[in-house]
């Protein structure tokens, strides 16, 4: 997810009009389909199996210069229901103000634990989590943690640059938590 500064053209050539306190544009990149078969260099396209699905990456830009009501109105109805359901069940904490490194490390450690638990393994070096903590402490990142009671069940980590914000990492142990976290990020 990424947010962008005033005056820079965005998706469709439109330019945001009024900045929000947090950011103006939210961008997310996703993989919409999975590869079910691998292409070998030199292989003819006719040799591809019938169930071949090409991997597609999508980048979605969300203009956050509009009011919250407009953001909500433009969501799919199915997402609204998921967000409502998750909002009744989970609590979200947002950290986007500069803090001490010790405090930031404690918050990122919760995210790291969720990430490992969700993946079932350690997926990247500790140094990357240390960097995320330093960015959070300096105000160059945003971290949203979701809780079921006092138990952490999901997180979304976004990197900030000027008025932009890029969705960098996240994990969820419960259904619909990710939808709720991203909605809360858009509302900051």
């Amino acid at each position: 997810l990424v947010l962008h500064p005033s005056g820079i053209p965005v998706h469709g050539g439109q330019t945001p009009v009024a900045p929000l306190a947090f950011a103006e544009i939210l961008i997310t990149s996703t993989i919409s389909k999975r590869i079910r078969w691998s292409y070998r260099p030199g292989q003819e396209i006719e040799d591809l199996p019938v169930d071949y699905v090409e991997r597609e990456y999508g980048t979605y830009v969300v203009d956050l210069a509009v009011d919250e009501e407009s953001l909500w109105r433009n969501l799919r109805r199915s997402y609204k229901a998921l967000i409502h359901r998750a909002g009744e069940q989970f609590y979200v904490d947002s950290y986007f103000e500069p803090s001490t490194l010790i405090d930031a490390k404690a918050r990122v450690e919760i995210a790291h634990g969720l990430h490992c638990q969700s993946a079932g393994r350690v997926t990247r070096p500790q140094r990357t989590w240390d960097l995320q903590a330093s960015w959070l402490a300096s105000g160059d990142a945003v971290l949203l943690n979701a809780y079921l009671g006092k138990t952490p069940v999901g997180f979304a980590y976004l990197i900030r640059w000027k008025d932009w914000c890029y969705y960098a990492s996240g994990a969820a142990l419960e259904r619909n938590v990710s939808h709720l976290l991203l909605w809360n990020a858009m509302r900051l």
Side-chain angles (χ1 to χ4, degrees):
L1 307 166
V2 182
L3 311 174
H4 121 58
S6 267
I8 294 179
V10 296
H11 187 65
Q14 299 173 351
T15 305
V17 287
L20 294 179
F22 176 63
E24 296 174 6
I25 299 295
L26 179 64
I27 298 175
T28 179
S29 296
T30 61
I31 299 172
S32 59
K33 296 183 181 177
R34 295 178 187 227
I35 293 179
R36 289 195 257 161
W37 182 85
S38 297
Y39 173 76
R40 292 186 304 276
Q43 186 172 15
E44 294 298 320
I45 204 77
E46 294 81 25
D47 295 338
L48 295 176
V50 177
D51 68 344
Y52 173 77
V53 177
E54 185 176 330
R55 179 179 282 184
E56 294 180 8
Y57 290 91
T59 298
Y60 302 94
V61 178
V62 180
D63 183 351
L64 299 179
V66 300
D67 59 39
E68 186 175 322
E69 182 181 319
S70 297
L71 286 172
W72 185 254
R73 189 174 43 251
N74 289 318
L75 287 177
R76 289 184 187 172
R77 189 178 323 167
S78 61
Y79 291 161
K80 292 176 187 178
L82 298 174
I83 292 166
H84 273 302
R85 207 169 311 137
E88 293 170 355
Q89 193 175 6
F90 307 108
Y91 170 75
V92 176
D93 267 341
S94 306
Y95 311 103
F96 54 92
E97 296 296 327
S99 61
T100 67
L101 186 56
I102 293 171
D103 185 41
K105 281 186 178 186
R107 292 175 177 168
V108 169
E109 191 55 40
I110 292 169
H112 184 193
L114 287 165
H115 197 269
C116 292
Q117 195 174 353
S118 175
R121 62 187 175 87
V122 175
T123 59
R124 52 191 168 101
Q126 179 61 43
R127 177 72 182 126
T128 63
W129 296 100
D130 294 341
L131 285 170
Q132 285 184 268
S134 69
W135 297 334
L136 184 61
S138 66
D140 294 323
V142 177
L143 177 64
L144 295 95
N145 286 333
Y147 296 88
L148 179 59
K150 294 183 179 183
T151 305
V153 293
F155 80 94
Y157 183 90
L158 300 90
I159 299 170
R160 295 172 73 174
W161 181 74
K162 296 185 180 181
D163 292 326
W164 286 79
C165 188
Y166 178 78
Y167 177 78
S169 183
L173 303 180
E174 299 282 340
R175 293 176 56 93
N176 307 327
V177 170
S178 295
H179 295 88
L180 180 64
L181 287 165
L182 292 178
W183 173 246
N184 277 272
M186 291 167 56
R187 295 173 54 215
L188 287 178

